[in-house]
Amino acid sequence: MVEADQSDNVEFKWGKKRGVGGTKKDVRFYESFSYDGVEYTLYDSVYLYEESEPEPYIGKLIKIWENPDKSKRVKILWFFRSCEIQNYLGSEDVHENELFLASGEGLGLANVNPLEAIAGKCNVICTSKDERNSPPSDEEVAMAEFVFFRTFDVGQQKISDKIDEKIAGIEAKFMLNKVGGLKLDGIMKNNAITKKDIEEDNKNIGASDKCVVHSRLNDISPSEQITLRIKDGVDGDKGKFSVKLDKKVEIKLKRPLQGPEDGERPSKMAKLDVSKGKEEGNSYATISMNKCENEENAMEMLGKQKDKLKSPNDITETSLKPFTRKSLEKAKLSNAKFPNPSKDVHDEVDNVDYEKKEVTRRPNVENKSKWFTQLPWEERMEDAHKKGMLVLLRNLDPSYTSTEVEDIVWHGLKLYCTAKMIQRTAITSPHRGEALLIFKSKEAAEKAVKKLNEGCLMLPNGRSLVGCIGDPYFLGDQRIFHGHLVFSCARHPLNREKEAVSTSHCSQSNTIEYEMAMDWCLHQKKWDRAWQSLYKQQGEELRKHRGNFKSK
Amino acid sequence: MASIAEKEYDAFQERVRRTIYIDNLSPQVNESVLKKGLGQYVTVKDVRFIPNYSEPKNTARCALVEVETSEQAQEIIKDVIDAYPFMILGIPRPVRARPAEEEMFDDRPAKPGRRIELQWLHPNDPDFQVAWKLKRLVKKHAAEASFMMKQQLEAEEKLAKQQEEMLKVNKEKLMLIDGVMDDKSAFRLASYYNVNDAEI
C-alpha cells in the first residue's frame, strides 16, 4: 500500500490505505502518510503555513486522500487561536496557548487543502474534563505547544466547553487525546452515547427516515462510511447527485434494520438525506470536493440548512472555505477561515479598559513553530523601519524577556507585535529596559505610540510605558572605531602591527603601546564612573518620583 | 510546568555565571578572532555578539563569551583582562571584561513564577499626572544617556587622535635617532665629546 511519490522533491510516502472512492474507485483514502520525514496520521494536529499570515494556522487532519490526478489532499478541521475569535470571546478568560476547536457548522469549520500546505506537526493536547477524554498528564500538558478544551461554534459564533458528539462528521473521540492502543477502526463501535443525546438529536433533526439511516449505519466500519461519503462527493462532482444519493440509500437499506433506540447516533449522513433534495447534495458534494463553481449558491444552501438544523450535535460536513484555483496552483494553504475578527480589534482599541489586568501568555506563539524560518531580526527590523512599523518601547523592567514584552503589548494595547528586548551592555541603563517592537502595520505602530503617549499604561513598580517610533542604528556598513592605530615604524621593534592585528596580546609595560593602553584604561574608568553616577542620579530621580504615586 | 521552567532558569543562570562580557571591541573582531584570542587561556565554548541597536554606529562592540566553568570565567577576568591591557585585533585600545548579567542575554528564559500586571490609568486618577511626569522623566533620562554616549565617543575620538599624534611624534623621534646613527653623526659627536662608542 505504499506508494512513493514522484512528483515532489520532498520525501513523501503514503501509509496505511483506508479505502477507495470515486466512480472509478480512483480516489484513494489513507490513514497515514509521511511527509518530509514526519509521520502523519489521521486526526493529528498540524501547522498549516499561509504565506501572507505571520502565524501558521493549526488544524486537525480529518481526511487524507489522493485524487485520480495524483494530487494529494487533506481535510483540515480548524483550531482557532483566541485572537481570531476575539470578538466572540467577551470576558472569557483565555488560558495561555489555548486553542478553540471549530465546531457547529458554517464558514470556517473545515477546509480541504493540498497536503503540501502542511508545515509540520503540532502538539495539541485536549485538557477537557469531558469523560470521553483521557486526562493528559501534567507533563504532557507542559510539553504541549497548545491545549484546547473549548470549542467555537462557527455557526452560532459561541464558545462552549462541551465538545459535541460529532464535529464535521467526525467522532469527538478522535478530537480528544489518543488513548494508547486505541485503534481507529475499533472506536466507532464503542461509543457511549446517552439516550438523552439521541433523543435530543432526534428531536432536532426531526426527520424519521434519517434516524433509520443512522441506525443502519451504526455497524458500518469507518472506512466503509468514508467510502460512501466520498462516493457521494465524487459523483456529485459530476452532477449525478440524485442518482448516487439513491444508490446510497440502497446501500444503507441493505443493512440490517435497527430501531433508533439501539444506540444510534447522529451521523454526517443525516445531512445527505435524500429528502433534502438534489440541491443540497450538490452543495455538499461540490464543497467537499473543492470545486466550488457555485460556491455562493452552496453557502446560501448551507445557510438554509443551518436554520433547519439547530442542534449542536448536528454537524454538517462543510468545508465552506473553498479554495481558489490560484492557491491550488501555489500549493499553499487557502484559508480565509473565518472573517478575521482580530482586524476589528483595531477599531475597538479606543475603548480603554482601566481595570488592572494580569499579563498572561498571549494566546499565540508565533515563534514556537520551527517549521519555517524567519528572516534574521536585523532584516525584519530594517524592513519594518522603512515601513514605519517599528516602535521603541521604553521604561520596561530590564529583566523582561522579549516574549513577556510581546505579552504586555498584547494585553495592554491589544496589538500583535514581535518584540526584542535590547540587550543590556555596560553602558545601558539599569533602570529602564528598552525593547524594539515590530508591528504588523504602520497604522498599528502609530496607534500603539499614540495610545502610549496619550494614556498611561502602568506596569509593576510604577513603570509607565513610553513608546516612540523606533529609529535604530543599523549595523552593516563599516563603523568607525577609535583607538586602533597603525604602528608603521619600519625598522623598530614597534613594528608589530601584523602580529598585533592577527592576534591578541597583553602588552609589556616598557612599550609605547602600553602607555597608550593605560590612557585607554584611564578613559574607560573615567567613563565608567561617569555612567555610574549618571545612572545613580537617574535612579534617585526615578525613586523620588515614584514616591508620588498615591496607590503604591 | 513550574518545575521545568525553574530547571530551565537554573540552567540559564549557570550559563550566565560561565560567561564573561567583553566590550571595547573593534567591529572587525569576529567570533574566530575572539576564540583565538581568549583560547590562549581558556576553552571558549561560545561567542555571541550583542547587537547594538540604540547607540551610534561607532560605539565599540561587545560580546558574551561562554567558557567552561564559572571559575575559569572569573580567572580570565581577574588574571588576564584586568591584569594587563589586553588587546584584540589592534592596539592600543584594550578590551574590558566583566561578569555577564542575565539581561545581556537575548535568549534568556522568563523568570519563573513572575506575575506581570498592567493597567491603564484613568485620566482622572491622581496617579495619572505622576505617571505622565514619569514618562517625561524617562524620556529625559534617555536623552541624557544618549548625550553622554555622544560625549564619550567624542572623548574617544579625541584620545585616539591625540595618540595618533603622539605616535607620529614618537616615530619622528625614533627616525631621527636612527638617522643620527645611520649617517654616523652620532659617532662623530661621540668622538668630539670624548664619549665611548659603546655607550651610544
Side-chain angles (χ1 to χ4, degrees), chain A residues 512-531:
Chain A
I512 189 165
E513 74 224 37
Y514 182 83
E515 243 172 70
M516 289 178 169
M518 282 298 136
D519 283 348
W520 278 104
C521 288
L522 182 68
H523 163 91
Q524 284 168 1
K525 284 262 159 27
K526 199 174 102 189
W527 282 97
D528 270 355
R529 290 293 280 275
W531 285 110

Side-chain angles (χ1 to χ4, degrees), chain A residues 357 359 378 400 404 412 420 424 452 455 458 474 479 482 485 501 520 528 531 538 550-551, chain B residues 53 57 61 89 91 93 96 101 106 108 114 116 118-121 127 135 144 152 156 163:
Chain A
K357 279 185 284 191
V359 175
E378 270 82 14
Y400 288 162
E404 278 172 321
K420 191 172 178 74
R424 172 183 285 188
L452 286 170
M458 297 303 293
F474 290 106
R479 297 186 300 167
H482 300 298
L485 302 175
V501 166
W520 278 104
D528 270 355
W531 285 110
Q538 289 188 349
K550 290 175 182 64
S551 55
Chain B
Y53 301 126
K57 278 198 175 100
R61 290 184 84 185
L89 209 68
I91 43 181
R93 185 171 173 176
R96 192 175 52 161
E101 290 161 53
D106 188 32
R108 61 179 183 269
R114 169 157 66 190
I116 304 172
L118 55 79
Q119 182 182 21
W120 285 95
L121 289 180
D127 281 346
K135 289 204 295 189
E144 279 172 3
Q152 185 185 344
E156 277 168 15
Q163 288 193 341

Side-chain angles (χ1 to χ4, degrees), chain A residues 381 385 390-392 436 468-474, chain B residues 53-55:
Chain A
M381 185 173 73
H385 179 241
L390 193 69
V391 168
L392 178 68
L436 284 164
C468 52
I469 290 293
D471 188 12
Y473 294 93
F474 290 106
Chain B
Y53 301 126
S54 53
E55 285 134 23

Side-chain angles (χ1 to χ4, degrees), chain A residues 345-346 349 357 391 393 407-417 437 439 444-445 447-452 457 465, chain B residues 118 120:
Chain A
V345 174
H346 301 296
V349 141
K357 279 185 284 191
V391 168
L393 206 58
D407 298 341
I408 289 169
V409 172
W410 163 250
H411 285 275
L413 297 165
K414 298 271 178 287
L415 289 170
Y416 263 102
C417 72
L437 316 175
F439 284 95
K447 188 151 226 160
V449 171
K450 190 164 163 261
K451 270 193 90 180
L452 286 170
L457 181 60
L465 280 185
Chain B
L118 55 79
W120 285 95

Side-chain angles (χ1 to χ4, degrees), chain A residues 353-370:
Chain A
D353 171 12
Y354 295 109
E355 289 299 300
K356 199 167 206 170
K357 279 185 284 191
E358 188 182 345
V359 175
T360 50
R361 193 71 193 89
R362 77 172 171 179
N364 194 337
V365 198
E366 66 187 67
N367 292 330
K368 240 182 168 174
S369 77
K370 34 210 171 295

Side-chain angles (χ1 to χ4, degrees), chain A residues 41-310:
Chain A
T41 319
L42 217 49
Y43 312 116
D44 275 350
S45 301
V46 292
Y47 283 112
L48 287 106
Y49 180 41
E50 161 87 305
E51 199 167 31
S52 60
E53 289 289 319
E55 294 103 24
Y57 292 120
I58 300 164
K60 248 182 196 308
L61 296 175
I62 54 172
K63 210 187 278 180
I64 306 165
W65 74 92
E66 186 181 45
N67 284 334
D69 62 358
K70 297 281 172 207
S71 60
K72 299 179 267 293
R73 293 284 177 265
V74 285
K75 185 165 178 181
I76 306 287
L77 175 68
W78 296 113
F79 280 114
F80 291 104
R81 294 168 190 264
S82 59
C83 63
E84 292 170 308
I85 52 169
Q86 194 174 21
N87 283 3
Y88 310 103
L89 274 174
S91 55
E92 296 267 357
D93 252 354
V94 181
H95 290 235
E96 57 177 89
N97 67 3
E98 183 179 346
L99 296 175
F100 297 84
L101 186 66
S103 74
E105 54 181 270
L107 186 63
L109 178 69
N111 290 124
V112 178
N113 276 297
L115 187 142
E116 290 79 8
I118 295 175
K121 239 182 190 175
C122 176
N123 182 4
V124 183
I125 293 282
C126 178
T127 54
S128 173
K129 301 273 187 294
D130 193 300
E131 55 183 16
R132 296 163 292 181
N133 186 36
S134 72
S137 68
D138 288 350
E139 199 176 321
E140 277 173 331
V141 175
M143 298 293 288
E145 285 168 275
F146 297 96
V147 299
F148 79 97
F149 63 93
R150 289 186 276 191
T151 58
F152 180 72
D153 189 305
V154 292
Q156 299 173 6
Q157 310 191 331
K158 266 189 200 142
I159 307 284
S160 155
D161 47 12
K162 273 196 212 125
I163 293 172
D164 295 337
E165 203 51 54
K166 280 203 162 207
I167 296 171
I170 304 290
E171 281 281 334
K173 214 153 235 168
F174 297 115
M175 309 297 166
L176 309 175
N177 296 335
K178 278 182 198 165
V179 187
L182 202 65
K183 288 266 165 59
L184 287 174
D185 286 359
I187 302 161
M188 296 299 268
K189 282 169 193 157
N190 324 302
N191 50 100
I193 299 155
T194 61
K195 212 164 182 177
K196 201 178 145 224
D197 283 342
I198 302 156
E199 277 162 14
E200 211 175 83
D201 185 280
N202 289 349
K203 203 164 48 194
N204 287 324
I205 300 170
S208 57
D209 51 346
K210 230 177 272 172
C211 300
V212 181
V213 173
H214 293 157
S215 60
R216 278 161 221 155
L217 277 172
N218 202 25
D219 286 345
I220 307 176
S221 75
S223 65
E224 278 172 293
Q225 261 195 16
I226 301 265
T227 315
L228 288 172
R229 213 185 295 162
I230 298 314
K231 222 179 259 174
D232 299 337
V234 173
D235 295 339
D237 195 30
K238 303 200 170 155
K240 293 179 190 164
F241 310 101
S242 46
V243 182
K244 287 298 156 190
L245 283 169
D246 285 342
K247 195 173 161 194
K248 188 182 85 190
V249 173
E250 270 174 35
I251 298 166
K252 283 175 200 158
L253 286 170
K254 281 175 199 156
R255 304 265 153 197
L257 199 90
Q258 289 172 321
E261 303 82 34
D262 324 345
E264 61 97 28
R265 67 202 134 70
S267 145
K268 179 213 114 266
M269 292 300 194
K271 294 350 151 289
L272 278 175
D273 194 270
V274 209
S275 62
K276 291 233 159 81
K278 189 189 162 188
E279 277 168 327
E280 193 179 306
N282 189 4
S283 72
Y284 160 68
T286 316
I287 294 156
S288 82
M289 286 318 282
N290 230 350
K291 302 222 171 143
C292 300
E293 286 114 334
N294 58 349
E295 147 199 351
E296 275 165 39
N297 185 16
M299 303 244 194
E300 202 180 294
M301 283 302 162
L302 282 153
K304 280 185 203 158
Q305 194 182 6
K306 192 161 73 186
D307 293 337
K308 276 187 240 164
L309 311 165
K310 291 243 167 72

Side-chain angles (χ1 to χ4, degrees), chain A residues 96 142 352-359 377-378 381 394-395 398-401 404 408 411-413 420-428 432 434 436 451-460 462 464-466 472-475 477 479-489 491-492 494 500-507 512-521 523-524 527-528 530-531 534-535 538 541-542 545 548-551, chain B residues 1 4 21 23-28 36-38 40-41 49-62 64 80 84-96 98 101 103-106 108-111 114-123 126-135 137-142 144-146 148-149 151-153 155-157 159-160 163-164 166-167 170-171 174-175 178 182:
Chain A
E96 57 177 89
V352 180
D353 171 12
Y354 295 109
E355 289 299 300
K356 199 167 206 170
K357 279 185 284 191
E358 188 182 345
V359 175
W377 171 263
E378 270 82 14
M381 185 173 73
R394 286 192 165 130
N395 206 18
S399 65
Y400 288 162
T401 61
E404 278 172 321
I408 289 169
H411 285 275
L413 297 165
K420 191 172 178 74
M421 276 304 277
I422 293 177
Q423 288 157 266
R424 172 183 285 188
T425 64
I427 46 167
T428 51
R432 49 190 165 80
E434 294 182 351
L436 284 164
K451 270 193 90 180
L452 286 170
N453 279 342
E454 286 170 2
C456 289
L457 181 60
M458 297 303 293
L459 290 175
S464 49
L465 280 185
V466 177
Y473 294 93
F474 290 106
L475 301 171
D477 31 348
R479 297 186 300 167
I480 317 148
F481 182 73
H482 300 298
H484 282 180
L485 302 175
V486 180
F487 287 74
S488 56
C489 184
R491 296 167 55 183
H492 226 264
L494 260 183
V501 166
S502 59
T503 64
S504 51
H505 64 283
C506 298
S507 185
I512 189 165
E513 74 224 37
Y514 182 83
E515 243 172 70
M516 289 178 169
M518 282 298 136
D519 283 348
W520 278 104
C521 288
H523 163 91
Q524 284 168 1
W527 282 97
D528 270 355
W531 285 110
L534 175 75
Y535 288 135
Q538 289 188 349
E541 277 175 36
L542 286 172
H545 196 86
N548 294 338
F549 279 118
K550 290 175 182 64
S551 55
Chain B
M1 200 156 186
I4 289 174
Y21 164 85
D23 66 0
N24 280 289
L25 284 170
S26 152
Q28 270 120 37
K36 212 169 148 193
L38 293 171
Q40 305 169 60
Y41 311 98
F49 286 92
I50 299 181
N52 165 23
Y53 301 126
S54 53
E55 285 134 23
K57 278 198 175 100
N58 44 356
T59 37
R61 290 184 84 185
C62 30
L64 296 168
V80 182
Y84 316 95
F86 187 74
M87 300 161 201
I88 298 177
L89 209 68
I91 43 181
R93 185 171 173 176
V95 300
R96 192 175 52 161
R98 57 171 71 183
E101 290 161 53
E103 284 93 35
M104 291 172 174
F105 289 79
D106 188 32
R108 61 179 183 269
K111 274 189 183 157
R114 169 157 66 190
R115 281 164 56 99
I116 304 172
E117 278 176 337
L118 55 79
Q119 182 182 21
W120 285 95
L121 289 180
H122 196 275
D127 281 346
F128 190 84
Q129 286 307 318
V130 185
W132 189 266
K133 281 185 191 144
L134 187 68
K135 289 204 295 189
L137 189 64
V138 168
K139 283 182 197 164
K140 189 187 112 192
H141 285 174
E144 279 172 3
S146 96
M148 182 110 146
M149 192 66 234
Q151 291 289 307
Q152 185 185 344
L153 283 172
E156 277 168 15
E157 197 178 342
L159 181 61
Q163 288 193 341
E164 206 175 349
M166 193 170 118
L167 188 71
N170 200 55
K171 189 179 147 191
L174 290 169
M175 294 290 274
D178 280 353
D182 281 356

